Amino acid sequence: GTVALLRAHTQGGWLRRELLAVEADAAILMGQLVWDASQRRDHAGARAHYQRAAQAARHLGHPAVESLATLRTCYLALYGENQPHTGLALAGRASELAGTASPVLAGLAALHAAEAHARLGQGDDCDVRLTEAEDHLGKITTDDAAYQLVTPAHYGRLAGSCYLSLGRHDQAEQVLTTTARQIRPTSKSRAIVLGNLALARLQQHDLDGAATAAHEAIDVLELTWGGGGLSIVFSAARQMKPWVRTPAVSDVRERLLSLIAAH
């Protein structure tokens, strides 16, 4: 708000552009904060911030910043509102904006387009997007403005989620098991990977393996309280309900109850 007020009372073109850049960055950060703090429930509040960031980026002529704001909006559609068609369109737009300027953003957009295709049951399209993402991410250099947004485990996390959605449970387990080892123990994304790993093992009737992955995910959630991981682990716990009298499953459900009570 302060930046917008300063910009409204500034005459110089150079200073106005600098203020627009600050406004875009601040709005993207606020969108992330609003969504995280609301446990991924305040979609409208986060979307308003991302739209503001995209508008500022368009005024500046910075397609990479607009691509990031659009990609963050895609996350709302995919992971908050469960609207894969909308998420797919937004991922496509983010990819167009990224162009060749940012292989990181182009790769991330392709990964999330792949996940949208997977949720729609479009396996061949998903595979094409995963290959596209791998190609983009293989071209990353430290000069990329979005370099800090991607990690070595990023591809495996999204690919594993795609395979899970497509019912390729064995393939999902292999990718997610490897990816979980690559992520630092206190990362929010590790809870997501482990939650999906629990789901993949459940689909293969590996109850003990699923419970082990769920316990590891809860270890992370106790430190991070990440909304994405929490949602997936609760989904795994619901799918374990038929075996509620089994000690391994009972322990998972007890820990989840304790986790909720603690917060």
Side-chain angles (χ1 to χ4, degrees):
T2 301
V3 172
L5 180 64
L6 289 171
R7 184 162 54 83
H9 292 83
T10 298
Q11 298 293 326
W14 173 83
L15 185 54
R16 284 177 64 84
R17 289 183 61 81
E18 290 297 309
L19 288 169
L20 268 173
V22 172
E23 186 175 345
D25 287 343
I28 289 174
L29 176 59
M30 281 303 301
Q32 292 177 255
L33 290 172
V34 165
W35 207 39
D36 282 350
S38 67
Q39 291 295 300
R40 296 190 169 191
R41 293 187 182 93
D42 188 359
H43 316 313
R47 182 180 291 104
H49 286 296
Y50 294 145
Q51 288 173 341
R52 182 172 181 174
Q55 184 179 26
R58 278 194 296 274
H59 280 301
L60 278 170
H62 285 182
V65 177
E66 186 179 354
S67 173
L68 177 56
T70 305
L71 188 59
R72 292 287 180 188
T73 310
C74 166
Y75 297 170
L76 301 179
L78 278 179
Y79 309 116
E81 298 165 322
N82 193 27
Q83 295 180 354
H85 285 290
T86 303
L88 181 59
L90 287 165
R93 175 60 178 158
S95 180
E96 290 173 9
L97 287 164
T100 57
S102 174
V104 167
L105 291 173
L108 291 177
L111 278 175
H112 291 285
E115 181 144 39
H117 281 302
R119 293 191 182 193
L120 293 168
Q122 300 166 348
D124 290 343
D125 290 327
C126 174
D127 288 336
V128 168
R129 289 295 195 168
L130 286 175
T131 300
E132 181 184 327
E134 200 167 18
D135 181 57
H136 284 304
L137 295 176
K139 297 175 182 175
I140 292 174
T141 68
T142 54
D143 294 331
D144 194 310
Y147 179 76
Q148 77 283 0
L149 297 179
V150 73
T151 68
H154 227 112
Y155 178 88
R157 177 165 67 85
L158 272 296
S161 179
C162 287
Y163 298 144
L164 183 61
S165 295
L166 291 168
R168 303 176 189 172
H169 302 125
D170 180 64
Q171 195 174 7
E173 181 184 8
Q174 292 178 32
V175 171
L176 292 168
T177 299
T178 300
T179 304
R181 299 192 193 106
Q182 298 173 332
I183 305 175
R184 58 187 175 85
T186 57
S187 171
K188 288 182 180 181
S189 62
R190 191 165 192 270
I192 294 173
V193 169
L194 290 166
N196 278 330
L197 179 58
L199 288 168
R201 288 174 174 172
L202 270 177
Q203 295 301 319
Q204 298 176 88
H205 309 292
D206 179 5
L207 191 59
D208 288 337
T212 297
H215 276 298
E216 292 181 20
I218 294 169
D219 289 342
V220 179
L221 290 171
E222 287 174 342
L223 297 172
T224 65
W225 193 245
L230 192 64
S231 175
I232 293 171
V233 174
F234 265 96
S235 178
R238 284 193 295 271
Q239 292 193 28
M240 291 178 182
K241 192 174 181 180
W243 302 278
V244 68
R245 296 186 184 279
T246 304
V249 173
S250 178
D251 288 347
V252 169
R253 294 171 71 89
E254 285 294 326
R255 285 195 68 193
L256 280 175
L257 289 173
S258 297
L259 182 66
I260 294 299
H263 288 78

